[in-house]
Amino acid sequence: MEPQHVIATYIIETSLPLQHAAEVLAGEQSTGTFVRVERESDDLRARFAAQVESIREVPLTGSAPLPGAIGDPSLRRRAVLRLRFPLGNFGPSLPNLLAAVAGNLFEIKELAAIRLIDLDLPSAFAERYPGPAFGIEGTRRLMGRPHGTMIGTIVKPSIGLSPADLAEVVGQLAEAGIDFIKDDELQGNGPSAPLAERVRAVMPVLERYADRTGRKPMYAFNITDDIGRLEANHDLVVAAGGTAVMACINLLGIPGLEFLRRHSEVPIHGHRAMFGSFGRSDQVGIGFRAWQKLARLAGADHLHTNGISNKFYETDDQVLDSIAAVREPLLSLAPTVPVLSSGQWAGLAHATYAAVGTTDLLVLAGGGIHGHPDGAAAGVASMREAWASAARGESADDAFSASDAIRRAAERFGPVRV
């Protein structure tokens, strides 16, 4: 029989006995408050209270406790805690699920650390949330790249190009064989380069290229905005022949992404801007494994994971776990495309492929393409050649020896990762 509950997995730290702290958390996030009340009967608690599924103690990290945490620091212990929440408390509703598994719990003073790291969800969520409409298969079909690693870039400079300059850059990238281009998350609908003007400048370039070659690179216009403007922004892109839109998930919220998914006729490129504000600390927040399930259910066709040797805070192990998480099946949803970005260049292809073992990836190189010493076309060539070499089972040294574009990239970005 299908489970009618959600399992939420946390890391907690507390000076209380672990079982007691777990019960405080379970009570606060379901039927209880700081004191037993009159109508909180045993029957009600049996039906609606969150239950402690398991507690596994793990070593302390040495990180500072959360502000306001109480208790004797010498008694502090750390544990992985699994709580079982009855589905009947909130139903298959992502915002109401979040109220239960990630609501006031971050403020409980008995906890010196509290971090949601995973969610096990019943099929009722897939019945309500259809997930990606396009995923890997639809994305490959629309960009005309049925096999191999999908190679993309971000418009650079991020801000400041006129629509005419943008059109010129897009034309160069299309001629170089790029699969995917996206607006930077900083480029929304500002007065210096409004969305409508960017669409008007870019789409004729891509259509002319498609008429000549039979393949149209995918351009993900950033349509992030107030929820009431999402439909019009989307429609503007689609009416001009656009094949993707980009949304900054944490700026719209999960319900905003789901709203866009219900309307969208093209893949949604899900950017994770602001993820670090709740994902970076080991003491508080929501981990990527939990968050990506919400984003995929809400309809992200592509989802940023970062890449190895990135310019941000995540270690390679954390990045590889994020890529693996997005690739894992989730209920009955179509597979979301993992998007590798941040500091990516051709010299990382072999090490990445060795770790993930797939080309069902969209690899974005901003500086790694635009900053190539021989120009953006050579940057695209370096990425394409490096990833094709890796997929053929060749070594990084083989690729370096065979490709001028990769050798020149290494002069700027090296050394090559092996």
Side-chain angles (χ1 to χ4, degrees):
M1 182 178 178
E2 170 69 25
Q4 294 300 303
H5 56 257
V6 168
I7 301 289
T9 304
Y10 304 91
I11 289 181
I12 66 167
E13 205 169 287
T14 182
S15 295
L16 299 177
L18 290 175
Q19 182 70 32
H20 182 189
E23 290 170 355
V24 167
L25 175 53
E28 179 67 31
Q29 294 307 119
S30 55
T31 62
T33 181
F34 69 94
V35 65
R36 186 76 173 257
V37 297
E38 180 181 354
R39 288 182 173 80
E40 189 186 355
S41 65
D42 291 341
D43 177 66
L44 184 145
R45 286 173 62 85
R47 293 171 56 202
F48 297 106
Q51 304 291 332
V52 177
E53 183 85 352
S54 65
I55 303 172
R56 175 171 59 86
E57 189 166 2
V58 295
L60 292 167
T61 64
S63 298
L66 294 176
I70 61 172
D72 183 348
S74 68
L75 300 178
R76 194 167 298 140
R77 298 163 71 190
R78 192 172 180 89
V80 176
L81 165 66
R82 286 164 53 86
L83 292 185
R84 185 174 69 254
F85 290 85
L87 182 62
N89 287 14
F90 36 77
S93 162
L94 291 178
N96 289 306
L97 166 70
L98 279 169
V101 301
N104 286 338
L105 76 173
F106 300 113
E107 303 179 50
I108 296 173
K109 64 185 179 182
E110 288 87 351
L111 300 177
I114 172 63
R115 182 169 168 79
L116 174 65
I117 59 171
D118 208 350
L119 290 166
D120 296 337
L121 302 170
S123 62
F125 281 89
E127 293 166 9
R128 176 164 175 176
Y129 297 96
F134 294 86
I136 293 172
E137 182 180 346
T139 296
R140 285 191 177 281
R141 173 174 49 81
L142 287 170
M143 68 170 54
R145 182 63 64 184
H147 308 290
T149 307
M150 295 168 274
I151 303 297
T153 192
I154 309 99
V155 172
K156 298 293 180 184
S158 307
I159 292 284
L161 293 181
S162 69
D165 289 338
L166 174 62
E168 184 177 346
V169 170
V170 168
Q172 293 170 351
L173 291 166
E175 293 296 337
I178 200 82
D179 297 320
F180 177 92
I181 311 165
K182 80 172 189 70
D183 286 334
D184 193 88
E185 70 274 11
L186 301 174
Q187 180 68 272
N189 199 14
S192 64
L195 175 64
E197 292 187 20
R198 299 201 312 278
V199 171
R200 194 157 44 241
V202 166
M203 288 312 304
V205 174
L206 295 179
E207 295 292 359
R208 287 193 296 269
Y209 179 81
D211 288 343
R212 194 175 79 251
T213 67
R215 193 181 75 86
K216 182 161 67 174
M218 182 175 282
Y219 191 111
F221 292 94
N222 183 11
I223 66 167
T224 304
D225 211 326
D226 295 326
I227 291 176
R229 300 188 180 198
L230 290 177
E231 289 180 301
N233 289 352
H234 163 277
D235 293 350
L236 174 70
V237 172
V238 172
T243 55
V245 294
M246 179 176 118
C248 295
I249 296 169
N250 297 311
L251 311 185
L252 298 182
I254 293 297
L257 175 60
E258 190 274 340
F259 175 86
L260 176 60
R261 161 64 177 85
R262 295 284 177 181
H263 181 75
S264 187
E265 299 175 20
V266 294
I268 299 171
H269 184 82
H271 198 285
R272 67 183 229 175
M274 281 187 64
F275 175 78
S277 65
F278 56 84
R280 184 172 186 174
S281 172
D282 65 358
Q283 292 294 91
V284 67
I286 301 176
F288 186 85
R289 275 191 166 267
W291 179 81
Q292 59 90 23
K293 290 181 178 179
L294 306 176
R296 289 163 66 189
L297 276 164
D301 293 284
H302 312 159
L303 195 58
H304 280 236
T305 62
N306 278 348
I308 65 169
S309 297
N310 66 81
K311 63 186 180 183
F312 297 135
Y313 71 91
E314 288 180 302
T315 66
D316 287 355
D317 284 345
Q318 288 173 311
V319 168
L320 294 172
D321 187 68
S322 295
I323 296 169
V326 173
R327 295 187 62 224
E328 288 173 3
L330 176 60
L331 301 175
S332 57
L333 306 190
T336 290
V337 180
V339 181
L340 283 58
S341 61
S342 175
Q344 300 305 287
W345 71 286
L348 301 177
H350 289 76
T352 304
Y353 183 79
V356 301
T358 185
T359 58
D360 279 335
L361 308 169
L362 174 54
V363 183
L364 304 185
I369 283 178
H370 297 282
H372 191 284
D374 296 327
V380 174
S382 72
M383 292 291 291
R384 181 78 66 203
E385 291 166 13
W387 275 93
S389 170
R392 289 193 299 267
E394 299 169 358
S395 71
D397 288 340
D398 292 336
F400 185 85
S401 299
S403 170
D404 288 338
I406 297 174
R407 284 197 301 275
R408 290 284 285 155
E411 292 175 12
R412 170 65 71 85
F413 309 117
V416 172
R417 282 279 300 271
V418 293

